[in-house]
Amino acid sequence: MKRVGLYFGTFNPIHVGHMVIANHMVEFSDLDEVWFVVTPRSPFKTKQTLLGDHHRFQMVSEATKDFAALKPSNIEFGLPQPNYTVNTLAHLEEKKGEDHYFCLIMGEDNLKSFHKWKNYEVILERYDLYVYPRISQGEVVHRFKDHPKIHRLDAPVMEISSTFIRKHHKAGKNIRPMLPDSVWSYLDEMNFYR
């Protein structure tokens, strides 16, 4: 059975920080693959800075094409909105659960607010969480500190953000080293975030 880590995000755009974390999960944990689950634009939020779903999925596809264990996923595009992680997990299990064991990948900042997630107890009961370090405020809830289903990985701390990339690209700064080459080419060709 394949152990698959699900890495959720808007990936607006995907950058080298995301790639380093995903690759670290595959190389230094018992995960066989990492799927980048591209979160669709919420129909209730008209965020102008969020590119269309298919463009963000295309950038993830470009970024992962040379990495056999890293895969793009648009599974959430077909699910009703607003969507919750617990629903996506149930849907994936229904479709691919026979030969895949799904786990969640999240930054420590998300673990700090995990107790506010819809049906978080169900998630913890059924799935493992792989947590990478993030510089953030606040404390991890005590019951998550030594939980047997929560695995902390000593991954590199990546302080690159998509927000930073968008803002400084718009301002004319060279943000190219922060993106996989193929993502930079696509973003530049499509004239995004200018």
Side-chain angles (χ1 to χ4, degrees), residues 1-64:
M1 184 174 280
K2 220 175 241 183
R3 286 180 77 85
V4 176
L6 302 173
Y7 191 1
F8 289 81
T10 53
F11 303 113
N12 186 38
I14 187 169
H15 54 65
V16 293
H18 296 128
M19 296 297 290
V20 167
I21 296 294
N23 187 66
H24 189 92
M25 292 289 169
V26 166
E27 295 296 332
F28 299 97
S29 78
D30 58 357
L31 295 176
D32 300 304
E33 291 180 353
V34 169
W35 294 3
F36 288 90
V37 182
V38 182
T39 308
R41 183 200 291 241
S42 166
F44 307 104
K45 284 186 193 148
T46 51
K47 238 181 132 187
Q48 295 310 310
T49 55
L50 188 58
L51 289 181
D53 299 345
H54 70 282
H55 288 304
R56 291 178 292 112
F57 179 74
Q58 184 59 41
M59 286 192 286
V60 171
S61 301
E62 290 293 330
T64 56

Side-chain angles (χ1 to χ4, degrees), residues 69-135:
L70 305 181
K71 310 210 180 289
S73 171
N74 59 4
I75 190 78
E76 289 201 325
F77 291 9
L79 297 178
Q81 294 294 322
N83 187 39
Y84 297 98
T85 303
V86 69
N87 300 346
T88 304
L89 288 163
H91 183 75
L92 275 168
E93 202 148 287
E94 206 173 282
K95 284 187 74 167
K96 300 184 181 290
E98 282 166 28
D99 44 4
H100 293 75
Y101 175 77
F102 293 105
C103 309
L104 276 183
I105 294 172
M106 68 171 65
E108 191 153 25
D109 50 338
N110 279 321
L111 185 61
K112 288 173 184 174
S113 59
F114 184 61
H115 60 286
K116 297 177 184 162
W117 287 29
K118 182 179 169 76
N119 297 358
Y120 80 90
E121 303 97 329
V122 175
I123 296 174
L124 254 190
E125 199 177 290
R126 302 194 58 179
Y127 306 94
D128 286 76
L129 270 55
Y130 288 72
V131 179
Y132 59 91
R134 288 292 299 264
I135 296 168

